[in-house]
Amino acid sequence: MVLAREDIDFENLKREADVEMLVKNMVQANNMIAHLKDEQFEMRNEINEYKETISKLEDDARKDKRWNMLWRNSLEEDIAKTQVFLAIVFLINILFTYFTSR
């Protein structure tokens, strides 16, 4: 009753409250957007770090593969030389046995 006597417009109060709620919601939405943009930036940085790590690991794997190939080739050469040496020693042993038995 008191409010009716003082000519308070309830429609204006309702509109002002609605506008105030909209402004609060907009501010919250803007804060959330800013927060999500920060998280997106951090995630991009993490993805770039992961890509760099993967690239380094791939380079290391290529280097290891090259080293293993060189080592295997060297090992195969050493095995071939050892086989030839043992064949010669075996042949000399057979000849020595043959001549000593005569």
Side-chain angles (χ1 to χ4, degrees):
M1 293 279 195
V2 175
L3 295 175
R5 281 188 227 148
E6 295 190 17
D7 294 329
I8 295 177
D9 188 7
F10 289 109
E11 287 299 318
N12 282 342
L13 286 176
K14 185 179 176 190
R15 272 188 241 121
E16 288 176 11
D18 288 345
V19 168
E20 189 175 318
M21 286 294 289
L22 284 173
V23 168
K24 284 182 181 178
N25 286 340
M26 292 287 286
V27 168
Q28 287 177 348
N30 285 339
N31 288 341
M32 182 59 77
I33 289 170
H35 177 70
L36 291 174
K37 284 183 179 179
D38 289 342
E39 285 187 9
Q40 183 183 24
F41 181 75
E42 290 174 6
M43 291 174 86
R44 280 186 188 151
N45 286 342
E46 287 180 16
I47 289 170
N48 288 337
E49 289 175 7
Y50 289 140
K51 286 180 180 178
E52 288 176 10
T53 303
I54 289 170
S55 176
K56 288 177 184 176
L57 290 172
E58 287 174 345
D59 288 345
D60 288 347
R62 278 190 222 108
K63 289 176 185 174
D64 286 347
K65 188 175 181 179
R66 267 189 243 126
W67 172 252
N68 287 340
M69 288 174 62
L70 291 173
W71 184 76
R72 182 185 298 167
N73 289 341
S74 174
L75 186 62
E76 288 173 358
E77 289 174 7
D78 290 344
I79 289 172
K81 289 176 184 176
T82 304
Q83 287 175 340
V84 169
F85 176 74
L86 289 175
I88 291 171
V89 168
F90 182 71
L91 183 62
I92 291 172
N93 191 14
I94 290 175
L95 290 174
F96 180 75
T97 306
Y98 176 72
F99 286 121
T100 55
S101 65
R102 279 187 141 212

